Amino acid sequence: MSSFSRRDWMKASAAALGGAALGSVRRAAALPAEWDGEAAARALEPAAGGAVRPRIPDDLSTPYVGDRPPRVHTPNGSSITGRRADDGAWVYHLVAEEVQHEFAPGLTATCWGYNGQVHGPTFEAVEGDTVRVYVTNRLPVATTVHWHGFFLPNGMDGVGGLNQPVIPPGETFVYTFPIRQNGTFMYHSHHDEMTQIALGLTGMFVVHPNTRGEIPEVDRDFAIMLHEWAVDPGTSRPDPNEMSDFNVLTMNARAFPGTDPLVVGHMDRVRLRFGNLSPMDHHPIHLHGHYWKIVGTDGGRIPEAGQWPETTVLVPVGSTRTVEFTADALGDWAMHCHMTHHVMNQMGHEFPNMVGVDAAKLDREVRPLVPGYMTMGQVGGDDMGAHVEMGHMPVPENSIPMVGAAGPFGYITMGGMYTNMLVRPRPVDYDRFPGWYEHPPGTVAHAVSAEVAARDGVRV
C-alpha cells in the first residue's frame, strides 16, 4: 500500500517527463483545510457481509419550519413554509450568515448561506398570500435579497442602491409583498452578486396555486438548485473570482456521492423543479429511462399544446425549468448534467493528458526514488476514485476524488452534478433508501463467450 499522494504524483510525473507543464494545484493557498479523512473513510466502508453500503443517510425527508407542512421535497435541503400572523400575512425569517458546508463526505468549506445552510431553505407559499420576509444580516458585509421572477412593488425588488439601501451587518430589514403568481422562482443576494452568489446566497421559492386542480396534481414534487463552485484543493473557501474553471458542481449544494437519491413509486406522477444560479454555466439535465415534458419556466406554466417530450432539459443561468413525467420504469436511473466536466469532482481538473502514455519505463525509474509510485491516467480517470477507496492513494487536503462511489455492480464513475432516481413498486417509503434495485433474471447486460456470440454470427 502506498502513501504516495496525488499531488506527489503530479510533481514526480512532471520531473520524470522532463519538465512537462504539469504544475501543482492552482492557487493552493495557505488557508485552513477541512479535509476529513476519517469521515471519508467511514463513508466508504463496506457493510457487514461485503455488501455495498451507499453513502445515503437513513432519513431522506425534508425538514421544515412553518405552520403548514411542505408540499415540495428538497433533497439535502429544507423548506420554510411561513408562520401565520394576526393580520393574515405569512411571516418568514432569513438569516444571512457564514456556514460550514459539506459538499460531499470529506469536503467541507466556509460558505455564505441562509438559516445555517447552503443553499437557503426552499420557500413555499400560496398564490394570494401576502408575505413578510425578515432578513437579518450576520455577514461581515452588507447584503440584500432579490425575489427572482416575482411581480412585486419596485421597492421590494432587492437591488441594493437602486430599490433599497443595503442591509448593513447586524441589521434586519423586512420585505412585504403580495404573491400574484404561482410557479417556481428563486431568491438570491443582489449586492456584490459575483461574490455573494458564488459563496452560496441563493435559494428556491415555490408558489402553489390557490385553487386545487389549476395544475395537474403529482405524487412527488422535487426542488433542485443547480450551482457551481471553485474550491481549490488546499483551500477552505469557494473562490468568487473564478470566471470559467469551476471544479465542484452541485445539486442543492451537494456533489455526488453526497447527493441524496430521489425515491419515487412506480407510475407516480413526478414534478422536478430545477433552478440555476450558477455563476456562469447553463446545465442540460438528463434523466435516464424516461422522457418528460417541460411544463413551466419562471415565467409561468406552459400551455399543454406548447409542451413537448424531451429527455434532457437545458436550465439556463438565472432561470427555472419545471418538468413532469410518469415514472413508468422500475429501476435505478441516473440523472445528471450532460456536460461531461460537470459530472466530476475537483481532482479531474488541470492534470496533464496521460492517455496513451506507456508508463512502464517511467514507473520503473521513479519507484527507486518514490517507493510505491504508480502512474495513473493512461486510459482515463475511471480508476482514481476506486484507488482512493482501496487506500492506495490519499487525495490532497480538502478535496474529493475525481469521480465515483460504490454501486451494486461495481464503481459508479460519476461525480459532481449527478444523482439517482429510484423507482420502486408502490407503496414505497419516500423518506428511506429502499436498497438497490433487484433486476429480474436475464435483464442485466453480461459477458458472453465466443461460442454464444457465434450463434448470432458475431465473431469475437
Side-chain angles (χ1 to χ4, degrees), residues 358-370 373-375:
D358 181 358
K361 181 173 183 295
L362 172 63
D363 287 359
R364 284 196 301 272
E365 293 181 351
V366 174
R367 279 180 184 143
L369 303 173
V370 185
Y373 172 82
M374 177 179 61
T375 300

Side-chain angles (χ1 to χ4, degrees), residues 46-301:
V52 174
R53 189 187 78 180
R55 318 168 198 215
I56 299 170
D58 293 333
D59 185 359
L60 298 177
S61 64
T62 296
Y64 74 99
V65 173
D67 288 348
R68 44 191 173 183
R71 293 157 61 179
V72 173
H73 178 53
T74 304
N76 300 107
S78 72
S79 281
I80 183 169
T81 63
R83 179 179 56 79
R84 194 71 181 262
D86 293 340
D87 63 356
W90 288 90
V91 175
Y92 302 79
H93 187 196
L94 278 184
V95 178
E97 56 194 343
E98 261 190 6
V99 176
Q100 292 299 310
H101 174 67
E102 182 189 72
F103 290 101
L107 176 60
T108 302
T110 303
C111 301
W112 289 0
Y114 298 107
N115 297 9
Q117 65 186 74
V118 180
H119 305 285
T122 297
F123 275 65
E124 291 193 54
V126 176
E127 185 177 6
D129 287 354
T130 293
V131 300
R132 278 201 297 273
V133 185
Y134 292 84
V135 178
T136 298
N137 182 9
R138 292 182 183 160
L139 296 170
V141 67
T143 191
T144 66
V145 178
H146 167 58
W147 311 100
H148 188 110
F150 282 93
F151 306 148
L152 37 59
N154 185 246
M156 298 292 164
D157 197 43
V159 180
L162 175 66
N163 307 122
Q164 64 165 90
V166 295
I167 309 172
E171 297 288 328
T172 296
F173 278 35
V174 63
Y175 295 83
T176 303
F177 54 92
I179 301 286
R180 299 163 52 196
Q181 309 141 269
N182 65 71
T184 306
F185 308 97
M186 302 180 287
Y187 63 97
H188 60 83
S189 166
H190 217 301
H191 176 69
D192 188 12
E193 278 196 32
M194 187 190 83
T195 300
Q196 299 197 5
I197 288 180
L199 293 178
L201 288 178
T202 69
M204 300 285 287
F205 199 135
V206 175
V207 179
H208 302 287
N210 57 10
T211 303
R212 291 278 185 179
E214 183 174 335
I215 64 173
E217 297 290 326
V218 294
D219 301 291
R220 295 290 277 156
D221 196 335
F222 297 92
I224 298 175
M225 175 67 82
L226 310 174
H227 205 79
E228 57 194 6
W229 317 73
V231 185
D232 292 329
T235 68
S236 64
R237 291 178 186 269
D239 181 358
N241 300 315
E242 180 56 61
M243 190 169 71
S244 60
D245 191 14
F246 300 95
N247 60 3
V248 178
L249 286 295
T250 58
M251 291 179 165
N252 288 337
R254 298 277 289 183
F256 187 78
T259 52
D260 286 350
L262 314 182
V263 181
V264 306
H266 188 221
M267 302 307 294
D268 274 357
R269 284 294 296 172
V270 179
R271 178 179 296 136
L272 299 175
R273 306 170 185 265
F274 297 106
N276 182 8
L277 286 173
S278 300
M280 296 299 291
D281 287 309
H282 314 312
H283 300 293
I285 303 299
H286 174 59
L287 173 65
H288 292 209
H290 296 78
Y291 76 90
W292 52 36
K293 290 185 177 179
I294 304 170
V295 302
T297 72
D298 38 347
R301 183 91 180 172

